[in-house]
Amino acid sequence: MVKIPVIIRPDYKFYIEEFQGLPFMHCDVYNWSPTVFKALKKDWNTFTELHGGPLYCCKEYETTGYLKFIAALGFKLFSKEVSLKGNIVYIYYWSD
């Protein structure tokens, strides 16, 4: 699996990665502020307009900050799976 950068900014970077035929998104945020989030959200909206979806993301452990972040980007819970280590992995889905 290869993460391909699709949005590269000094404060954050979005990647897309195919897993079992599905496009999964990753985001690294280096600096966090309301201004950075506003720019990130604008870039996300442009990317999703071009891509159209569906897009997925996942997290082994849910945290309040993570849930707020993905909800602000429009992701909704898709399923709960069990990892090879026996942990629950939450999978989220975005589509226009």
Side-chain angles (χ1 to χ4, degrees):
M1 296 180 292
V2 177
K3 291 188 335 184
I4 300 167
V6 292
I7 301 171
I8 302 169
R9 301 285 187 245
D11 295 316
Y12 54 89
K13 190 181 293 185
F14 278 97
Y15 304 87
I16 193 166
E17 172 182 35
E18 187 175 319
F19 178 72
Q20 295 185 354
L22 301 175
F24 277 79
M25 296 303 298
H26 303 273
C27 183
D28 295 331
V29 180
Y30 310 115
N31 298 304
W32 189 257
S33 71
T35 302
V36 168
F37 182 72
K38 184 177 179 181
L40 182 150
K41 181 88 161 113
K42 182 179 177 187
D43 282 341
W44 172 253
N45 289 339
T46 300
F47 174 74
T48 55
E49 283 179 27
L50 294 168
H51 186 280
L55 297 165
Y56 298 85
C57 66
C58 65
K59 186 79 168 173
E60 194 165 346
Y61 304 101
E62 290 184 315
T63 62
T64 302
Y66 179 77
L67 293 174
K68 286 181 181 179
F69 178 72
I70 63 170
L73 296 181
F75 283 91
K76 305 227 184 299
L77 184 63
F78 180 70
S79 70
K80 296 178 187 179
E81 306 295 330
V82 178
S83 73
L84 295 174
K85 297 178 182 178
N87 299 323
I88 295 176
V89 176
Y90 300 88
I91 300 175
Y92 298 88
Y93 172 85
W94 180 94
S95 185
D96 60 352

